[in-house]
Amino acid sequence: MDPHKLFIITLIGFFVFSLDKNQKKFPAPIILIAAGIILALFPFFSTISLTRSFIFDWILPALLFISAYQFPLDQIRKKAGLIITLGTGGIFLSAILLGFSLYTVGQPLVGLSLSGAMVIAALLIPTDPVTVVSILSKSKDKHHLAEAVEGESLINDGTSIVIFSLITGYYFGEKSLHLGSFTWEFVYTSVGGVLAGFIIGYSISKGIHSVDHHAYKVWLSLMLAYGSFYLGEALGVSGVLATVVSGLLLSKELSGNKKEEVLRRDLKSFWGTIEPVLLSIIFIMIGIESLDFVTIDGLLFTVIGFLLSIIVRACTLFPILKTVPRWRKNYTNADILLLTWGGIKGTMSLALLLGISGESGSHDNLLSWAFMMIMFSLLIQSLTFYPLKQKLGD
């Protein structure tokens, strides 16, 4: 990318994040996307292209690592069952229900095939916790919801990629979709990603103590974030899960270690600076790219599809959280409603969509419909989440 364009993008991001301190009524991602749409009107930015490789190779590893490293370890122990259930079984159920729902509506409206409906469903199941966690973590009694949303996102990113890759393979006619092969590939990719992340994460987490200079220790954490992702992808397993596991292991190694208090502070400062920079780049570039995908054709279907994604999430969350007595006690109906509305689509969904765009070589209607559903979610749910939380009680 042109360094002048990148400088302008990061400069805009700096002003947005520094001025929008509360990020409640107007979350930073929304303002950044709006800024990107405005920039897209200028020919100077017309050559910018947001690709799957750019997101996966440069942006995603760092964001995943930050989320995993900062996630409270005590909450992982307490909420492990819920997080795993939502991030695996919940995702499968959502994908199936949403796929058939989209097909039922889309077939008569726009002639959507079942495989095409499943592709859109696979794009809509990953969640982006950035805005939701920022709002919930500032609430007096909603920390348990913030942890559930963030924990679910950590797991479902890896799960959704596996589901998406299998479904798109069927959609493009590259392979047949069979339950046996689907199950095997999911297990292999997921377990392999966890093992890869554990091996490299354990090694570097233990070895970091042997490095004397704190700047080099921070440098090593950067290598861990990207190295675990690249190792997983090179082995044909989930780089996403490898990065998540490595981040959790480093956090576990350093938490409570009084000798590494300075390092923990340095890591918090370093990654706390990196995160808004990367988010600024990704969301502004999403805004720039958005004009290429927007279409009037099938607008009714995209609106209905967006609403169906929310309804299906509610139909998945309510039975899961009401089945187990402990979860039923801890999560009220209002909490479940917030979790439903907090299932905002974002970075991962767009990265997967752009991957299809590169493979198909064109922005066909299916990609435009999916993109607009994602944008509806990102814009409408982000803007209305804080008012909804206030209405339901702080």
Side-chain angles (χ1 to χ4, degrees), residues 34 37 43 159 178 316 393:
I37 294 174
T159 308
H178 298 293
T316 303

Side-chain angles (χ1 to χ4, degrees), residues 64-87:
L64 289 168
F65 185 82
I66 292 168
S67 297
Y69 176 76
Q70 295 179 345
F71 194 78
L73 292 176
D74 59 327
Q75 294 304 319
I76 291 180
R77 300 185 187 97
K78 294 178 181 179
K79 293 184 171 64
L82 176 61
I83 290 172
I84 293 173
T85 300
L86 293 179

